[in-house]
Amino acid sequence: MQPLRIEWTFTSPVVVNSNYLQHLDALVAFAVCDEARELGASNAVELSQELGHVFAQLRSPGGDVWKASALLYTPSTEIFTATMVRRTDPLEYIKAQDKGLLLGRARNSFNSGSGPDRNYFIHHSYQWMERATAWCIADEGELRAALTRIHALGKMTRNGFGWIKDVTIVRDDEAHDRWKFRVLPLGLDGCQGLAYIPARHCLQPPYWDRKNAVDSMEPVVA
């Protein structure tokens, strides 16, 4: 296991308006799960929770964490705002249905307030980034292999945001400390120079599974 720094550059702006940090081990967990599903594994999610072949692990009374930081984004522009609009046209749908152009069960009602036919007019923010950076203690070969499956970062990647141009992985002794730029168990020393606040988060992937959230420390990002 080596101290490593990972940097991404982008071909499109990134949507990062989230209340939660994006952790490097979450990206690798996705890659492991994605590969396992390709190979036909029925327990792909469970396999993605065991990342010992990629990352070193810290064990503590407050919980265990992989030695992988959150991503730190470096903006190159101010924040921009775009709109997203979707309109459901029941009349056009019925016309297409009557012409036999649609498969499936015939429909005679639509809910434009929720569900797949929901209308919306929303604003979302995005920003051009100089780079995104993460640090970890990891096996470089395994990490490189996993990150080849990650093609975009942030939200709304399906709409073309956050697409990755290049990924570089280099040895960096600062990673021995900088990997702690992440949610940490209570009682642990954080990354030097960073302030932490009490929080309640998951300490390992899957970070979306809130039933695994525990009392923890979250770094303050200015």
Side-chain angles (χ1 to χ4, degrees), residues 9-23:
T9 57
F10 302 94
T11 61
S12 60
V14 184
V15 179
V16 290
N17 56 334
S18 173
N19 293 325
Y20 300 102
L21 294 172
Q22 185 177 14
H23 287 79

Side-chain angles (χ1 to χ4, degrees), residues 86-183:
R86 183 171 71 183
R87 300 182 180 89
T88 301
D89 190 334
L91 182 59
E92 289 300 318
Y93 189 98
I94 294 299
K95 287 180 180 178
Q97 184 173 269
D98 290 345
K99 291 178 181 179
L101 300 177
L102 304 178
L103 299 177
R105 189 174 176 180
R107 300 174 58 184
N108 56 18
S109 65
F110 295 84
N111 183 356
S112 61
S114 63
D117 302 314
R118 178 171 61 96
N119 292 329
Y120 56 69
F121 182 96
I122 60 176
H123 298 278
H124 72 87
S125 59
Y126 63 91
Q127 196 168 17
W128 283 97
M129 297 293 175
E130 179 181 331
R131 63 183 178 274
T133 310
W135 297 264
C136 62
I137 309 299
D139 181 292
E140 183 175 348
E142 294 285 355
L143 180 63
R144 286 186 182 276
L147 292 183
T148 59
R149 291 181 169 269
I150 306 300
H151 305 295
L153 298 177
K155 293 184 175 182
M156 300 180 62
T157 56
R158 68 188 184 281
N159 291 343
F161 289 94
W163 279 87
I164 294 169
K165 178 182 179 182
D166 293 305
V167 183
T168 59
I169 303 176
V170 298
R171 183 183 173 93
D172 185 355
D173 286 336
E174 289 191 8
H176 285 297
D177 180 63
R178 297 291 290 177
W179 74 262
K180 299 174 187 175
F181 170 62
R182 55 161 297 126
V183 173

Side-chain angles (χ1 to χ4, degrees), residues 189-202:
D189 291 332
C191 182
Q192 186 176 359
L194 281 182
Y196 289 75
I197 58 173
R200 190 167 179 84
H201 290 302
C202 299

